[in-house]
């Protein structure tokens, strides 16, 4: 992993899929978001991982700046011909995706097990 | 009726914005606002403070952000004013339009409007007023 600062993602390999679970409860602060974004992008740009699941089970808050990073991540994965899935998003947070219609952009699954199915 | 109010001026520093956010959230929790209201207010405050610090003041350390807050049993009202030139909220493109869906802007204001009871700007566009009525209460 490339970027400085504390590790913000728990990385696990399940077969050929990389599962990245956010460690933070709040993905709000600008500096935090920058670090998390860099760690996410490193999965594609440096580690060349093609199938990625982002697990949101710890996340209680997330701002529009964090959504911006997820959008960039999605673009990077698509450009690398990879696949990105999101999972375990609690209802409050899902509402944030629904309001901004990003639930249409992202491939969102109920839990990690379902996200890994047929991936 | 319980009522709490404060005014504070902070520099253009998101860490200081976070501290103000925590102070307001603790008032809501003290007055037993439902968790869903607290979630919405926190999100709206984050967006409004980041907008004021980044877009309004352009992170200029010489410029401040003024926050006025009043919370009582039925509502929370927060005004956040920056020292920037202001903007016209109606000129922000709709982030949910198909052609804008992948662009990373415009969502902050949209989330504020979705989660608060009322969001308004002054004429200059450098001060946002956020109102959250306690869930289920009609009156402000």
């Amino acid at each position: 992993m490339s970027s400085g600062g504390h590790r913000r993602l728990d990385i696990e390999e399940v077969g050929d899929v990389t599962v990245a679970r956010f460690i933070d409860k709040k993905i709000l602060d600008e500096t935090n978001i920058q670090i998390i974004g860099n760690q996410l992008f490193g999965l594609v740009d440096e580690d060349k991982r093609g199938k990625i699941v982002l697990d949101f089970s710890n996340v209680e808050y997330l701002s529009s700046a964090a959504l911006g990073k997820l959008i960039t991540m999605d673009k990077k994965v698509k450009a690398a011909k990879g696949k990105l899935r999101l999972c375990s998003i609690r209802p409050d947070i899902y509402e944030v995706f629904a309001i901004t219609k990003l639930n249409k952009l992202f491939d969102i699954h109920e839990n990690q097990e379902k996200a890994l199915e047929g991936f | 009726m319980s009522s709490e109010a404060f005014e504070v001026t902070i520099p253009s520093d998101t860490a200081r914005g976070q501290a103000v956010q925590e102070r307001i959230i603790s008032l809501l929790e003290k007055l037993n606002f439902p968790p869903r209201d607290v979630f919405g207010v926190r999100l709206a405050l984050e967006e409004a403070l980041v907008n004021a610090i980044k877009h309004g003041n352009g992170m200029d350390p010489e410029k401040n952000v003024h926050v006025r807050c009043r919370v009582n049993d039925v509502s929370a009202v927060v005004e956040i004013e920056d020292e920037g030139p202001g903007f016209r909220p109606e000129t922000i493109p709709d982030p949910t339009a198909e052609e804008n869906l992948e662009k990373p802007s415009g969502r902050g204001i949209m989330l504020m409007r979705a989660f608060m009871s009322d969001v308004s700007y002054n004429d200059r566009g450098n001060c946002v007023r956020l109102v959250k009525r306690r869930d289920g209460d009609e009156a402000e």
Side-chain angles (χ1 to χ4, degrees):
Chain A
M1 202 118 346
S2 60
S3 48
H6 298 293
R7 198 167 49 96
R8 299 306 170 97
L9 299 168
D10 253 336
I11 307 291
E12 192 191 348
E13 300 293 338
V14 183
D16 62 344
V17 182
T18 300
V19 178
R21 192 170 60 228
F22 294 100
I23 295 172
D24 296 76
K25 283 184 176 181
K26 295 174 190 162
I27 309 183
L28 293 179
D29 180 73
E30 189 71 13
T31 319
N32 257 347
I33 290 172
Q34 204 63 38
I35 296 169
I36 291 171
N38 289 339
Q39 294 187 0
L40 280 178
F41 303 159
L43 295 175
V44 190
D45 295 339
E46 284 146 44
D47 305 345
K48 311 288 180 203
R49 301 182 200 236
K51 293 182 184 178
I52 300 168
V53 172
L54 298 182
D55 184 322
F56 284 75
S57 49
N58 291 329
V59 181
E60 294 173 5
Y61 285 98
L62 160 143
S63 70
S64 67
L67 294 176
K69 294 293 180 195
L70 293 174
I71 292 165
T72 307
M73 179 67 178
D74 187 63
K75 282 186 196 166
K76 281 182 183 288
V77 173
K78 280 177 183 159
K81 307 250 184 289
K83 279 197 225 167
L84 180 69
R85 288 181 175 179
L86 277 49
C87 75
S88 309
I89 299 176
R90 62 187 69 203
D92 279 343
I93 302 285
Y94 187 80
E95 207 180 333
V96 171
F97 283 87
I99 289 164
T100 53
K101 301 209 174 139
L102 291 175
N103 54 339
K104 292 179 181 174
L105 180 73
F106 294 112
D107 186 4
I108 300 177
H109 296 258
E110 195 182 325
N111 53 44
Q112 204 185 109
E113 197 183 3
K114 289 194 174 153
L116 289 168
E117 262 173 30
F119 201 5
Chain B
M1 186 191 290
S2 305
S3 179
E4 304 254 5
F6 72 87
E7 283 192 41
V8 65
T9 296
I10 57 163
S12 299
D13 172 350
T14 52
R16 297 289 297 276
Q18 288 277 320
V20 175
Q21 197 187 104
E22 291 301 333
R23 187 171 169 190
I24 296 171
I25 291 304
S26 65
L27 288 181
L28 264 70
E29 285 172 343
K30 193 170 142 194
L31 291 170
N32 292 315
F33 272 67
R36 207 191 123 68
D37 285 358
V38 175
F39 175 87
V41 171
R42 187 192 284 279
L43 196 63
L45 285 175
E46 170 69 20
E47 302 293 346
L49 285 161
V50 167
N51 279 351
I53 293 166
K54 272 182 75 177
H55 305 302
N57 286 350
M59 303 288 279
D60 183 345
E62 300 292 312
K63 288 180 178 162
N64 293 317
V65 175
H66 312 276
V67 182
R68 293 175 288 276
C69 168
R70 179 173 56 79
V71 183
N72 60 33
D73 292 325
V74 293
S75 71
V77 180
V78 183
E79 287 179 3
I80 296 170
E81 183 175 350
D82 60 59
E83 295 177 353
F87 80 112
R88 304 192 70 78
E90 63 275 15
T91 61
I92 302 292
D94 175 8
T96 63
E98 196 67 40
E99 68 274 18
N100 295 335
L101 212 51
E102 294 190 15
K103 290 182 190 163
S105 63
R107 293 196 180 84
I109 291 175
M110 180 166 213
L111 291 173
M112 290 193 305
R113 291 198 196 281
F115 283 101
M116 298 301 280
S117 312
D118 188 50
V119 176
S120 55
Y121 290 84
N122 64 352
D123 287 341
R124 181 172 144 191
N126 69 326
C127 181
V128 63
R129 184 171 187 268
L130 305 169
V131 180
K132 182 68 188 179
R133 285 180 277 277
R134 186 191 284 263
D135 195 21
D137 289 334
E138 288 303 314
E140 185 182 313

